[in-house]
């Protein structure tokens, strides 16, 4: 058995940090040390920020995004095009699209993808509320910006069926050659998708 090198409070801090994505036990220990060394300018503000987040963060009842206001900042933003809803699996996908600043629309966060083997059926995702929104007069198009995985695509297929009776165009992201991609390095699936979704120049 290895000897303990710190009190239980510090060990707990390390253990919790090690649960964060991208941090293993070794880097969690480094992070804990950095926090302890910089108690005033890092540890205390971080503890404050986490406490505020615990108290204030809520899931937006309209779109499933997380924010400290409800409805969320994006749903409240009147400068966004109300006719387009971009559907994503997770909040991280919404953040990625917002970072790219390529779309000025509202979103709908499903909270994952369909995965029957893990017991995740349509009732576990925010699909019912999406269908409700798609029936609103303002909405003209629903863009399914789901992952290009088997689960993402079968979720997109299911949602397309659910939206059949709503008066909206259902679109999805293009698939194919990435920007800066060299054909020689692409897998067969990506090449096949690129050929299939070719367009006239
Ligand atoms: Zn929202």
């Amino acid at each position: 058995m290895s000897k303990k090198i710190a009190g239980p409070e510090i060990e707990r801090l390390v253990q919790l940090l090690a649960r964060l994505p991208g941090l293993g036990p070794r880097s969690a220990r480094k992070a804990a040390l950095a926090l302890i060394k910089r108690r005033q300018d890092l540890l205390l503000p971080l503890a404050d920020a986490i406490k505020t987040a615990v108290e204030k963060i809520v899931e937006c009842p309209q779109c499933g995004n997380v924010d400290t206001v409800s409805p969320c900042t994006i749903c409240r933003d009147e400068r966004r095009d109300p006719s387009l809803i971009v559907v994503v699996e997770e909040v991280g996908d919404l953040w990625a699209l917002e970072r790219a600043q390529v779309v000025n629309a509202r979103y709908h966060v499903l909270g994952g993808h369909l995965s029957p083997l893990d017991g995740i059926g349509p009732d576990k995702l925010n699909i019912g509320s999406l269908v409700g929104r798609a029936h609103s007069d303002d909405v003209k198009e629903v863009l399914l910006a789901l992952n290009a995985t088997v689960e993402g695509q079968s979720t997109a297929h299911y949602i397309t069926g659910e939206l059949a009776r709503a008066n909206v165009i259902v679109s999805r992201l293009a698939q194919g050659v990435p920007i800066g991609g060299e054909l020689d390095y692409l897998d067969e699936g990506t090449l096949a998708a690129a050929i299939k979704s070719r367009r006239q120049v």
Side-chain angles (χ1 to χ4, degrees), residues 8 27 41 49 53-54 59 68 79 82-83 91 94 103 109 111 132 139 157 159 176 198 201:
S27 37
D41 71 323
V54 169
E59 188 174 298
T68 51
R79 288 163 305 173
S83 70
V91 174
L94 182 162
V103 67
V109 183
V139 180
H157 187 254
I159 293 175
R198 68 186 181 277
V201 291

Side-chain angles (χ1 to χ4, degrees), residues 58-67 69-73 75-76 126:
V58 284
E59 188 174 298
C60 174
Q62 283 178 36
C63 75
N65 186 18
V66 288
D67 206 340
V69 288
S70 175
C72 73
T73 307
C75 283
R76 284 165 182 244
N126 292 328

Side-chain angles (χ1 to χ4, degrees), residues 8-198:
E9 296 81 4
I10 291 177
E11 287 298 332
R12 177 149 175 78
L13 179 62
V14 173
Q15 280 169 13
L16 289 172
L17 287 169
R19 287 196 208 163
L20 293 172
L23 284 192
R26 202 181 145 88
S27 37
R29 211 161 274 283
K30 265 191 187 169
L33 260 185
L35 288 169
I36 292 163
K37 268 191 193 164
R38 296 174 57 187
R39 192 170 188 275
Q40 287 301 328
D41 71 323
L42 197 58
L43 182 59
L44 289 175
L46 179 70
D48 261 357
I50 290 177
K51 189 164 177 284
T52 309
V54 169
E55 286 163 1
K56 290 198 168 171
I57 285 181
V58 284
E59 188 174 298
C60 174
Q62 283 178 36
C63 75
N65 186 18
V66 288
D67 206 340
T68 51
V69 288
S70 175
C72 73
T73 307
I74 290 178
C75 283
R76 284 165 182 244
D77 186 353
E78 286 178 1
R79 288 163 305 173
R80 286 176 185 267
D81 178 3
S83 70
L84 174 62
I85 297 178
V86 181
V87 181
V88 292
E89 292 183 26
E90 302 286 357
V91 174
D93 304 328
L94 182 162
W95 286 0
L97 287 167
E98 283 295 294
R99 270 203 311 276
Q101 295 187 332
V102 284
V103 67
N104 182 40
R106 302 261 163 81
Y107 290 89
H108 198 87
V109 183
L110 295 176
H113 50 240
L114 293 175
S115 181
L117 288 178
D118 302 312
I120 302 174
D123 53 316
K124 296 268 172 68
L125 303 175
N126 292 328
I127 292 177
S129 53
L130 171 65
V131 176
R133 289 178 78 190
H135 277 89
S136 137
D137 286 343
D138 292 342
V139 180
K140 306 276 180 272
E141 181 179 353
V142 174
L143 165 57
L144 302 174
L146 305 184
N147 290 334
T149 56
V150 174
E151 294 88 353
Q153 293 311 298
S154 64
T155 307
H157 187 254
Y158 177 83
I159 293 175
T160 305
E162 291 296 293
L163 293 175
R165 264 177 282 162
N167 191 23
V168 291
I169 295 165
V170 181
S171 55
R172 66 170 176 82
L173 294 179
Q175 293 181 328
V177 183
I179 303 291
E182 294 179 37
L183 295 195
D184 200 14
Y185 289 95
L186 298 181
D187 63 281
E188 290 80 2
T190 305
L191 283 171
I195 295 284
K196 211 172 144 193
S197 50
R198 68 186 181 277

